[in-house]
Amino acid sequence: MTDYFATLSPVAQALIATLFTWGMTAIGAALVFTTKKMNQKLMDGMLGFAGGVMIAASFWSLLSPAIEMSEGSSFPAWFPAAIGFLLGGFFLWVADKIIPHLHPTSSMKDAEGINPAKRRRSTLLIFAITLHNIPEGLAVGVAFGAIANGFPSASLPAAIALAIGIGIQNLPEGTAVAMPLRREGMSRRKSFFYGQLSGMVEPVAAIVGVLAVTLMTPVLPYALSFAAGAMIFVVIEEVIPGSHENGYKDLASICLMLGFTIMMILDVAFG
């Protein structure tokens, strides 16, 4: 299976990988068909786990390869990683200020962006998860693009491991959109539809990432670091605070450690 996957173009590889991550979002959203109310303790644990996966992926799959790729260049090895990382966080910060959205655990008065009061709560919830799925899709795309460019620090198993890790953490994201919509009275089918819809942006972002790094090879270390910075911003700004709001801080922290460890093992074992 891996041998066949290796024969595909980078765009096809990234597309298949992010169709998987999108599918995992859909599985999370599908929980609306099996339960009326999500166990908050379980949800916070899942969010913590997702945060751990994202932190580990940001370093092992993105920042570390970016630093390795920059060795021997005219700039210090840390320079592209530092600049890209900060730009990624800045991009998400600006997007948060512009795009109207609402985090799943927040009330309408805490909605962010431009004129959020003019949008329905369901729309704001979808925008929030969709916005934060962009760096995840981008990360997968640049990982497969790096393989196409022949960088020694990039490998197909590592890129696949990254996609698997992101897919795992997409489960609670789909649930985090679908469940609140269901509680507001939306039908199960519509709640599922809008929950899985939030993952649709990942294949698009992945293709953009692949094309960017294959057409402009010198930007690859910056692109990897950019995706890492954007993902870390999401973890700090939304995932960790969201997992701590309901009194299950210890559980969320333990699950974050587990998520980090599992993603680290996946990346190191297959990298």
Side-chain angles (χ1 to χ4, degrees):
M1 182 65 180
T2 305
D3 292 339
Y4 170 74
F5 199 72
T7 64
L8 301 176
S9 70
V11 171
Q13 291 173 342
L15 182 61
I16 292 172
T18 46
L19 286 175
F20 162 74
T21 62
W22 180 11
M24 294 295 282
T25 305
I27 292 173
L31 289 178
V32 295
F33 293 115
T34 62
T35 181
K36 293 182 178 180
K37 185 178 180 181
M38 185 66 182
N39 183 295
Q40 190 60 54
K41 188 175 183 179
L42 175 61
M43 188 67 193
D44 289 349
M46 291 171 67
L47 283 174
F49 185 89
V53 169
M54 293 175 74
I55 293 171
S58 295
F59 176 74
W60 296 102
S61 300
L62 301 171
L63 279 176
S64 182
I67 293 171
E68 290 183 33
M69 291 173 190
S70 302
E71 292 177 353
S73 66
S74 56
F75 294 107
W78 53 263
F79 183 80
I83 296 301
F85 184 81
L86 293 175
L87 285 176
F90 180 73
F91 170 79
L92 257 291
W93 179 78
V94 171
D96 265 3
K97 298 301 180 185
I98 295 175
I99 299 175
H101 64 283
L102 177 69
H103 302 310
T105 57
S106 303
S107 61
M108 279 298 292
K109 64 181 179 63
D110 296 320
E112 302 176 55
I114 298 175
N115 296 324
K118 294 183 178 180
R119 305 280 184 174
R120 297 175 59 183
R121 179 180 173 86
S122 57
T123 302
L124 294 173
L125 288 170
I126 296 165
F127 279 178
I129 302 299
T130 301
L131 170 65
H132 294 160
N133 277 343
I134 292 174
E136 297 166 11
L138 183 63
V140 174
V142 295
F144 283 102
I147 300 168
N149 284 334
F151 284 96
S153 58
S155 69
L156 180 60
I160 293 174
L162 173 63
I164 292 172
I166 289 177
I168 291 171
Q169 67 91 34
N170 274 2
L171 271 168
E173 289 190 351
T175 307
V177 176
M179 284 298 183
L181 297 180
R182 177 59 181 162
R183 286 197 299 268
E184 291 178 9
M186 188 175 288
S187 69
R188 293 182 190 274
R189 287 186 179 182
K190 284 189 176 181
S191 298
F192 165 75
F193 174 77
Y194 288 118
Q196 63 82 32
L197 190 65
S198 64
M200 185 183 293
V201 71
E202 290 192 2
V204 177
I207 292 174
V208 171
V210 170
L211 294 177
V213 299
T214 52
L215 296 177
M216 298 177 287
T217 303
V219 308
L220 181 53
Y222 297 91
L224 288 166
S225 305
F226 181 95
M231 287 175 67
I232 291 296
F233 183 90
V234 171
V235 173
I236 296 171
E237 199 260 352
E238 178 190 352
V239 177
I240 292 178
S243 68
H244 286 190
E245 287 179 352
N246 300 287
Y248 302 111
K249 294 182 180 180
D250 289 345
L251 174 65
S253 298
I254 291 170
C255 288
L256 186 146
M257 298 290 290
L258 289 173
F260 183 95
T261 302
I262 290 173
M263 186 63 216
M264 177 181 66
I265 291 171
L266 281 173
D267 201 284
V268 175
F270 296 106

